[in-house]
Amino acid sequence: MSLLELRVNGRVHSIDRDPDTPLLWILRDQFNLTAAKYGCGIGECGACTVLMDGVAVRSCMTSVSEAVGAKILTLEGLFAVEGHPLRRAWLGEEVSQCGFCQPGQIMNAAELLGRVADPSTSDVRAAMSGNICRCGSYPRIEKAILRAAKEMRHE
Amino acid sequence: MNRKSKPQTVGRRHIREDAEAKLKGRLRFLPDLRLDDMLHAAQLSSPLPHARILSLDLEAARALPGVVAVLGPEDIPGENRIGVIIDDQPLLAQGKVRYVGEPMAMVAAESAEAARAAVAAIGFELEELPAIFDLDQVEAQANEPIHEEGPIAVHQKLRKGSVERGFADADVVVEAELVTGLQEHYYLEPQGCIATPGESGGLVIHGSLQCPFYVQRDVSRATGLPQSRVRVIQTPTGGAFGGKEDIPSEFCARAAVLALATGRPVRLLLSRDEDFLSTSKRHPFRIRGRLGATKDGRFTAMEVYQDAEAGAYATLSPPVIYRACIQGAGPYDIPNVKVETRAWYTNQVPNGAFRGFGSPQACFGHERLVDLMAAELGMDPVEIRRINLLREGGETCTGHKLDESVGALETLERAAEASAKGAAEEEAHFEDGRWLFGTGHAAMIYGNCLGKAGWHMDGAGAYLQLHADGSVSCATGLTEFGQGARTVVQQMAAEALGIEPDQVSLMPVDTALVPDSGPTVASRNVVMSGNAILNAAAKLHERLAPLREELGDVSFRKLAGAAYKRNVNLAAEGWWHVPELDFDLKKGRGEAYFAYSFATQSARVAVDRITGNVRVLKVWAAHDVGCAVNPAGVEAQVEGGVAQGLGWALTERFAREGGNILARNLSTYHLPTAIEVPEIETIIVEEPHSQGPFGAKSLGEPVIIPTAAAIAAAVSEAVGAQVSEIPIRPEHVLELLERGGHDSNAL
Ligand code: FES
Ligand code: FES
C-alpha cells in the first residue's frame, strides 16, 4: 500500500492502494465511476478506455502509479457539461445498442477529435479499430464521429 | 376506440428510451451494483474433459481466512439438476465430469481474491476417461459413453413428398458436403449475477440475463424454494445474443445456493477468460445435401443431413436442432424434401443458443446447394431463386400452406436490384489485378417465436397502469439486451393507447410484475409483448369508453384524471399466446410456426489473389419484417447481425485441440472491428401478418442468418470455385483460386 494522489475529472483524490492496481478498479471500486467497463482485462476490447492527459489508455492495463500526476478524464467527466458535440452526435446517430462498449468508444473518439480536427473515414476506422462493439454499431460510431468533428469545426 | 387525431408512433424513427442514460454511463449494469455485506463467489472447474470424480475434499478450503462457504454437490439443498429441456446436466458435477471447465464445487468469500484462493485449495482426485472431441469421433462412443442414454442428444426429422421420386424427376442433381464452425458470443459484458436473501426467507436475483423465468424455475429447483419465493430482476444487460438464455440459470442457481447457505448477498461474476472458456457457443455443423432440379431450374427435391455437435450436455440443442431441421431446405417451394438433423454428445463445452438458433448453419447448407445448382445449370443465382422462392399460397418444406405475409420474393428483387449497382466507390480502393470481385446472394426463412416444439411456453404477459396524470407504467416479461425492443414496446404501448411514447414508462423486467412470459429468444419480444400490450390496452379502452362518451373529445390526461376520480380500475393485465399449431413432430409435417419472416442479403467482396484474404465491400440486407415499428431499430439490428455474420464467415475461427480451447482471447479469436465491417444498406420490406402486433414479425435473428451464405457465394463467384466451409480461411481461398484457374504467380 502507498499513498497516491490522483486527478480525476478535475478533482484531486488521495488514495491508499497498491500502486500496481489497475486504474480501472480504482475508478470503479473506489470512486464509483462505473462508466469505464471491464470487458476483458487484458487490453483487447477497449471498454475500459479513459483519457490520461488527453491520450486514450486502457485503464485495465494501466497501473494506478502510472496515472499519478496525469489528468484523468472518464466519460462522467467528459459529459459533465451539457451539450458536448460527441454526446449530441451519439444521440443523433442513435449509436448505442446494449451500450456496454460505448463509454470506451466515446473516450477513444474524444482522443481522436483532440488530435485530428478533420478526420477522414479511414482515420476514424483506424483509430477506432481497437474498440470492440459486439452489437455491431461501427457504422453509426463512424457517422457520429464525423458529425461531431464537423460540429466542432463549426461547419 | 377513437384514433383520429391521435399521434402515430408506430413506423416512426424513434430514439431509444435509454439512450441518454447509456451515454452518461448512468445505466447500472450488474458489475456496477454494490450491495452491503456482499460476498464474492468463485467456482472450481474441471481440468479434464472426461473423468470419474474419485474424491472431493473441501475442508482445507473451508479453513482459509475470509472464506464463508465452500459447497460441493452434496450441499445443494434442492435438486442437483439444471437444464431447460433434457434433464442431463448437474448444477455441480457429480460422479463424472464431462468437459474442461465443468463446475465441481463453489465458494463464497469476503473478497474475490479469498474466493479464488479457496478454489485453489480444494482437493480432488480424477480418473481420466477416454474422451470424444468432435464430430469425427462421435460414432465411436461405445466404450465409455458420455451419457448412458447414448451418443445422440436430439434427433429431428422432416419429410415431405418422396425425395426418391423427386430426384427421379430431376434433370440435374448436385451434391455438397459442407462444414460450419463454432462461434463465441463475446457479449461485451461477461456473465454475472447477485443473489440476495430476502427478509421472508426467499431470494431476489439480479442478473445480466435474457430469461428471468428460466432463472426463477432453475433457482427454485436448486434451492428447493417454491417459485413464488424467487424473484428475478433483470439488470441492464451488455449484450447476450443467445449466450444469456439458459446459461445464467446455472450461475444464478449457484449464487442462490451460496446466498441461502451464508444468509448474505452473493455475487458471481465471470472473468472474460472464464466466460470465454466455459460458456456455450454456436453449434458446429456438418451438412451433406443433394438438390435436384429440372433443366429450367425448378427444384424437384432436396435432401439434407445435418450433424451438429451438442457438447457435453443437451442444454438448448433441442430447439436449435428443431429450427435447423424445419428451415433446413430454406424458403423454397419444393415438392419433395427430406431433412434429418442430429445433435451428438462430445466432451466439449455444451453448445447452445446463438442468434439464429441453428438457422445460419441451415441457411449456409441450402444456399450453397442452390448456388451449386445455378452454376451447374449455367443460370443466374438470382433467377434460380426467383423461380423457386415461396409465394403466397405456396407450401413450406413442412407442408405449411402460407396464405399471407410472404415477402420472400420482394426481398430478393430489392436486394438483387440494389446490389446490381455494385460498390464502385469501395472497389476503387482496391489495386487492379491483385483483387478479384464477386457478388453473392442468400435467402432465408425464419419461423417466428418458438414453434410447435416450444408451443407450451409461447405465451407472454404485459401490465399497463394508467395514472391520474395520463402517464402510463408498462411492464412486460421479455428482456432488452441491446436489440432496442424496449423502445419498440414503448412505441406500441403508446400507439395502442393513443398517447406519445414519452408518456409510457417502462419497468425493469421483474418476475414479480408480470406472469411467466417464457424466454426472450427466437426473436419473440416484439411479437409477444406487442400483442400482450394490445390486449391490455383494449381492456383499458373498454373501461374508459363510457367516460369518453360522456366527456367528448378531451385530452387523454383529462380522461385519465376523470376516470381516476370515478374509481375506474386503471390497471390492466394483457396476455397473448401463439395460436395452436397443427404439426406432427415425428414427421416434421404441418404448421411448424405461426408466421415466417423472410430475407435476402447480398454481399460484394474483394478477394486478394496473393494472400487469399477476403474483404467485404458492402452488404445489402432486405428483410420482410411485417411492420417496421421503429425503422431506426431495424437498421441497427441489421447492422449488428451482419457484422456478426461476417465474423462467423471470415474471421472467427474457434480453434481447439482435443478438449482444450486454443482460441482463448481476441488475439487468437478475431472479432470483426471497425475496419472489417463495411457499409450495410438496410432495405425494409413490410408484408404484414394478421397475428403480428401492427403486422410485425420477428427480426432479431433473421439479420444474421443469410450473411455468411451470401459472403460465401460472393467469394465463390470471385474465385470461380465453390466455398464449402466457414470460416473461410485464406489458405482455403488460395486452394479455391487454384481450382478456379487463377494463377497468382502470373501477377
Ligand atoms: S477491459 Fe480493458 S481493454 Fe478490455
Ligand atoms: S453497443 Fe453493445 S457492445 Fe457495443
Side-chain angles (χ1 to χ4, degrees):
Chain A
M1 294 289 166
S2 51
L3 215 55
L4 303 160
E5 222 174 66
L6 282 186
R7 298 184 58 180
V8 184
N9 299 336
R11 285 177 48 186
V12 180
H13 302 261
S14 160
I15 55 163
D16 190 17
R17 285 293 286 262
D18 179 342
D20 289 339
T21 312
L23 176 62
L24 175 65
W25 302 116
I26 305 290
L27 295 173
R28 291 179 52 81
D29 296 343
Q30 192 121 9
F31 303 151
N32 202 24
L33 294 168
T34 53
K37 301 291 185 221
Y38 165 87
C40 69
I42 51 171
E44 288 186 335
C45 74
C48 64
T49 305
V50 299
L51 299 192
M52 257 167 58
D53 291 330
V55 179
V57 298
R58 310 257 149 140
S59 64
C60 71
M61 298 289 281
T62 308
S63 67
V64 56
S65 59
E66 291 172 76
V68 170
K71 282 190 204 141
I72 300 161
L73 187 67
T74 73
L75 184 80
E76 289 95 339
L78 183 74
F79 286 170
V81 269
E82 290 294 308
H84 193 288
L86 275 172
R87 199 177 129 227
R88 262 203 297 279
W90 239 253
L91 277 178
E93 296 296 337
E94 302 171 58
V95 176
S96 301
Q97 296 204 23
C98 80
F100 202 79
C101 72
Q102 299 297 338
Q105 305 275 7
I106 294 168
M107 295 316 288
N108 207 43
E111 186 218 48
L112 171 67
L113 295 186
R115 266 190 300 123
V116 192
D118 191 4
S120 67
T121 306
S122 34
D123 292 339
V124 172
R125 289 192 176 186
M128 299 305 290
S129 66
N131 283 67
I132 297 294
C133 175
R134 192 51 155 164
C135 297
S137 63
Y138 301 125
R140 281 149 197 263
I141 289 175
E142 185 180 307
K143 283 190 207 133
I145 293 174
L146 296 173
R147 179 170 173 162
K150 198 164 167 197
E151 190 185 325
M152 286 161 89
R153 295 193 307 270
H154 307 290
E155 273 176 21
Chain B
M1 183 171 14
N2 170 16
R3 282 268 193 83
K4 263 184 290 154
S5 52
K6 295 295 184 289
Q8 292 273 314
T9 306
V10 162
R12 276 207 320 229
R13 298 182 74 86
H14 201 73
I15 299 239
R16 295 190 183 205
E17 49 92 36
D18 52 4
E20 280 278 354
K22 274 177 187 162
L23 278 190
K24 292 206 171 129
R26 232 186 252 151
L27 212 60
R28 294 279 166 178
F29 292 89
L30 196 278
D32 305 337
L33 302 178
R34 302 271 173 289
L35 298 186
D36 288 341
D37 212 24
M38 189 172 79
L39 294 171
H40 302 259
Q43 312 176 109
L44 169 69
S45 305
S46 165
L48 294 180
H50 199 194
R52 232 180 294 285
I53 304 173
L54 301 179
S55 69
L56 186 66
D57 180 5
L58 308 176
E59 290 315 315
R62 285 183 175 137
L64 290 179
V67 174
V68 183
V70 182
L71 306 181
E74 312 293 342
D75 305 309
I76 294 168
E79 262 182 274
N80 184 20
R81 283 279 126 193
I82 198 92
V84 180
I85 295 144
I86 296 176
D87 247 357
D88 61 1
Q89 190 176 6
L91 188 59
L92 292 175
Q94 201 154 19
K96 234 165 108 153
V97 288
R98 295 181 174 86
Y99 66 94
V100 172
E102 180 166 7
M104 299 167 62
M106 58 193 181
V107 171
E110 299 290 349
S111 68
E113 296 73 43
R116 277 196 294 272
V119 164
I122 296 173
F124 59 86
E125 278 174 286
L126 297 178
E127 181 198 358
E128 189 155 11
L129 297 169
I132 304 288
F133 293 126
D134 56 39
L135 286 171
D136 283 335
Q137 307 169 333
V138 284
E139 306 214 28
Q141 288 194 27
N143 334 348
E144 182 57 51
I146 301 172
H147 294 278
E148 295 305 326
E149 294 73 19
I152 295 175
V154 196
H155 189 169
Q156 176 73 44
K157 296 177 186 176
L158 180 158
R159 300 281 187 274
K160 180 185 181 188
S162 148
V163 282
E164 288 73 28
R165 206 171 53 226
F167 284 118
D169 291 346
D171 297 316
V172 179
V173 175
V174 292
E175 283 188 40
E177 286 196 27
L178 307 161
V179 176
T180 69
L182 286 132
Q183 189 177 24
E184 155 63 18
H185 302 84
Y186 212 96
Y187 27 71
L188 255 271
E189 181 201 7
Q191 303 272 352
C193 61
I194 301 176
T196 310
E199 272 150 30
S200 54
L203 284 166
V204 181
I205 312 281
H206 286 89
S208 177
L209 49 87
Q210 286 177 242
C211 302
F213 300 98
Y214 279 0
V215 171
Q216 185 179 41
R217 193 193 52 201
D218 286 332
V219 165
S220 155
R221 192 173 181 191
T223 56
L225 290 172
Q227 290 184 10
S228 58
R229 288 283 183 84
V230 179
R231 178 175 175 193
V232 182
I233 302 168
Q234 185 216 13
T235 46
T237 295
F241 317 115
K244 293 176 183 168
E245 176 176 349
D246 59 328
I247 302 301
S249 294
E250 290 181 30
F251 300 119
C252 293
R254 292 190 198 109
V257 169
L258 287 167
L260 274 191
T262 59
R264 290 170 62 180
V266 173
R267 182 171 84 171
L268 180 51
L269 278 185
L270 294 201
S271 68
R272 172 60 64 190
D273 213 37
E274 287 173 303
D275 196 306
F276 204 105
L277 298 177
S278 72
T279 62
S280 68
K281 319 275 170 241
R282 182 186 297 288
H283 290 68
F285 270 50
R286 295 260 171 102
I287 301 167
R288 283 175 297 130
R290 286 208 297 162
L291 174 61
T294 58
K295 279 198 296 290
D296 49 5
R298 265 240 150 256
F299 298 159
T300 58
M302 194 186 295
E303 181 176 37
V304 180
Y305 296 90
Q306 304 164 326
D307 286 298
E309 186 192 313
Y313 297 102
T315 67
L316 289 166
S317 285
V320 167
I321 292 315
Y322 177 77
R323 194 174 275 287
C325 183
I326 302 302
Q327 297 170 188
Y332 303 106
D333 202 331
I334 313 175
N336 306 293
V337 183
K338 175 177 176 186
V339 187
E340 194 120 3
T341 311
R342 294 174 297 184
W344 299 80
Y345 286 121
T346 61
N347 291 108
Q348 301 282 8
V349 176
N351 293 312
F354 194 142
R355 203 176 200 171
F357 254 86
S359 322
Q361 296 95 314
C363 183
F364 184 74
H366 59 70
E367 289 306 89
R368 292 281 64 219
L369 283 170
V370 169
D371 281 328
L372 275 178
M373 181 57 85
E376 193 66 35
L377 291 171
M379 202 173 219
D380 175 11
V382 174
E383 179 60 19
I384 198 166
R385 288 179 170 85
R386 185 180 288 131
I387 293 170
N388 292 286
L389 272 180
L390 280 162
R391 287 150 167 82
E392 225 169 84
E395 253 191 24
T396 69
C397 294
T398 63
H400 187 174
K401 189 160 171 290
L402 301 181
D403 302 321
E404 60 167 329
S405 192
V406 189
L409 205 57
E410 192 181 340
T411 66
L412 176 76
E413 301 297 1
R414 305 251 324 253
E417 189 192 326
S419 61
K421 296 188 196 110
E425 211 180 298
E426 289 78 6
E427 273 168 46
H429 300 294
F430 290 82
E431 202 185 305
D432 243 1
R434 175 165 174 177
W435 297 85
L436 296 166
F437 299 97
T439 302
H441 314 276
M444 68 109 226
I445 181 170
Y446 180 83
N448 285 205
C449 303
L450 302 177
K452 180 65 175 185
W455 185 83
H456 58 284
M457 48 179 180
D458 226 353
Y463 178 75
L464 291 177
Q465 187 182 353
L466 176 55
H467 301 280
D469 63 357
S471 69
V472 172
S473 306
C474 170
T476 63
L478 282 87
T479 52
E480 166 76 34
F481 30 90
Q483 71 280 50
R486 269 171 84 78
T487 310
V488 171
V489 161
Q490 188 187 34
Q491 284 178 271
M492 292 190 298
E495 186 76 48
L497 293 169
I499 56 178
E500 288 294 336
D502 62 5
Q503 291 297 298
V504 179
S505 297
L506 296 177
M507 305 292 107
V509 176
D510 179 339
T511 55
L513 296 180
V514 278
D516 188 335
S517 300
T520 309
V521 303
S523 313
R524 294 174 77 230
N525 201 336
V526 169
V527 172
M528 304 299 297
S529 294
N531 278 326
I533 284 170
L534 286 176
N535 179 242
K539 291 181 189 170
L540 286 179
H541 279 300
E542 203 179 299
R543 290 182 211 151
L544 293 172
L547 262 181
R548 222 190 266 273
E549 189 108 316
E550 186 185 321
L551 299 176
D553 201 10
V554 296
S555 71
F556 192 72
R557 190 192 166 98
K558 282 224 172 82
L559 186 68
Y564 176 79
K565 285 194 194 125
R566 303 259 182 104
N567 280 331
V568 175
N569 175 4
L570 294 179
E573 193 203 295
W575 180 255
W576 191 76
H577 68 77
V578 166
E580 247 183 284
L581 299 167
D582 181 10
F583 186 77
D584 179 337
L585 270 169
K586 280 227 164 64
K587 295 196 195 116
R589 287 283 299 163
E591 302 165 352
Y593 295 93
F594 83 98
Y596 301 88
S597 301
F598 298 93
T600 305
Q601 291 185 2
S602 306
R604 179 89 178 147
V605 302
V607 178
D608 185 336
R609 296 170 67 172
I610 296 175
T611 63
N613 279 322
V614 175
R615 289 295 305 270
V616 180
L617 304 176
K618 187 161 177 180
V619 174
W620 297 263
H623 285 261
D624 170 18
V625 298
C627 162
V629 179
N630 178 14
V634 171
E635 289 162 12
Q637 280 288 85
V638 166
E639 288 162 12
V642 168
Q644 279 176 347
L646 184 152
W648 186 52
L650 295 177
T651 65
E652 296 180 36
R653 180 156 176 261
F654 196 90
R656 302 185 304 196
E657 194 177 69
N660 291 312
I661 293 167
L662 300 179
R664 298 182 76 92
N665 50 44
L666 296 188
S667 50
T668 41
Y669 183 76
H670 298 283
L671 295 182
T673 70
I675 296 199
E676 287 87 15
V677 176
E679 192 191 333
I680 298 159
E681 188 177 317
T682 302
I683 301 162
I684 294 176
V685 172
E686 294 178 296
E687 277 291 336
H689 193 279
S690 58
Q691 302 276 341
F694 307 99
K697 300 190 286 188
S698 297
L699 172 72
E701 299 198 282
V703 291
I704 194 178
I705 295 170
T707 309
I711 291 172
V715 172
S716 303
E717 195 198 59
V719 303
Q722 296 293 337
V723 169
S724 59
E725 184 173 343
I726 46 173
I728 306 170
R729 285 179 280 147
E731 310 88 272
H732 188 191
V733 174
L734 291 176
E735 270 171 45
L736 290 175
L737 277 165
E738 233 180 271
R739 232 188 288 158
H742 294 278
D743 182 4
S744 60
N745 296 328
L747 277 178

